[in-house]
Amino acid sequence: NDIEFPAVQSAAIAKNIHYKVLDSSPLYVHIGPYQRNFDQEEISMRDLLYSTYLHIPFDEYSKARLEIEIDGYKMKEFKQTMAVNHYGLLSYLLQKTDSFMFGNKWQIELMKRSGIKSKVLKNAEIRMHLLLFSKEENISPELEKMWKPFSAQYLSQVQEDI
C-alpha cells in the first residue's frame, strides 16, 4: 500500500532487486454473510470498529499500516484483531463470523467463490499496489509463459509485455 511502499522500494534498491508496479487498487473490505455490514451499500471504518479484524501476521513493513488513519480512526483502534497465517482459515472465518479483512481488487473473484463480498472502504484514499520483483532486469522464459494468463486474470488492462 502507499504507506508501506517507500520502505519496500528502499529495501529493493538496497538489495539490488528490480521491481515494477503492475497495477493499483483502492482499499477493499472483505466480509462474509455473518458480518453485520454484509448488506450495507457502503462500509466505513466506524462500521468495523467492533468486528474482528483478520489479517496475516505483520512483517517489518506492514506494521506501519497500524498508523493509517481513515475517517479519524487508526487501524490499531479495532477492538478485536486476529492474526491468521493460513489463507483458507481466513476465508473460513470470514464466511462464519462477524469478521472482516482488508484487501484489494485482485482478491475479489476468489472471495466471491466463498460467498464473501468485497466493498471499497468509504473515504479511504490509500491505494494497494501489485508489484513484480526480480533479481534480473530481464524476465525469465518461465515468467514470459505465465504473463498473459496472469495479467488477464488479475490486471485492469492486459499488458502485453513486462
Side-chain angles (χ1 to χ4, degrees):
N1 64 45
D2 295 331
I3 304 301
E4 298 167 34
F5 184 69
V8 171
Q9 184 180 34
S10 294
I13 291 167
K15 294 176 181 179
N16 201 27
I17 295 175
H18 301 275
Y19 69 91
K20 180 175 181 173
V21 178
L22 301 176
D23 201 7
S24 292
S25 165
L27 182 61
Y28 276 80
V29 178
H30 303 301
I31 56 174
Y34 291 99
Q35 215 288 333
R36 64 191 86 185
N37 301 297
F38 189 73
D39 292 320
Q40 281 184 215
E41 199 64 32
E42 293 184 323
I43 297 178
S44 69
M45 287 286 278
R46 184 178 185 180
D47 296 328
L48 301 170
L49 283 180
Y50 293 96
S51 297
T52 302
Y53 168 32
L54 302 176
H55 60 85
I56 59 172
F58 293 125
D59 60 21
E60 61 187 283
Y61 305 109
S62 57
K63 286 179 184 172
R65 98 174 46 141
L66 293 173
E67 297 301 321
I68 294 172
E69 188 172 315
I70 300 170
D71 274 348
Y73 298 99
K74 289 188 176 184
M75 297 262 185
K76 65 183 178 185
E77 292 183 50
F78 292 111
K79 308 303 180 207
Q80 299 176 61
T81 65
M82 182 185 290
V84 180
N85 64 358
H86 188 276
Y87 206 77
L89 181 56
L90 277 171
S91 178
Y92 178 81
L93 290 170
L94 288 171
Q95 292 172 43
K96 302 294 183 183
T97 67
D98 181 27
S99 60
F100 70 94
M101 179 178 99
F102 291 114
N104 53 62
K105 68 182 182 183
W106 309 292
Q107 298 166 310
I108 293 173
E109 287 304 315
L110 182 62
M111 294 292 174
K112 196 183 295 183
R113 290 183 216 147
S114 300
I116 297 166
K117 289 184 181 179
S118 302
K119 301 178 183 201
V120 174
L121 183 63
K122 184 179 175 184
N123 297 326
E125 295 179 12
I126 191 165
R127 308 255 330 144
M128 307 297 284
H129 305 288
L130 181 63
L131 303 172
L132 173 67
F133 292 96
S134 65
K135 291 183 179 181
E136 306 294 326
E137 194 161 359
N138 296 324
I139 62 166
S140 68
E142 292 82 14
L143 181 57
E144 289 263 0
K145 288 179 191 173
M146 62 146 288
W147 180 247
K148 282 188 183 179
F150 173 84
S151 60
Q153 177 70 34
Y154 292 105
L155 303 181
S156 302
Q157 301 172 324
V158 176
Q159 299 175 9
E160 291 302 318
D161 59 308
I162 48 177

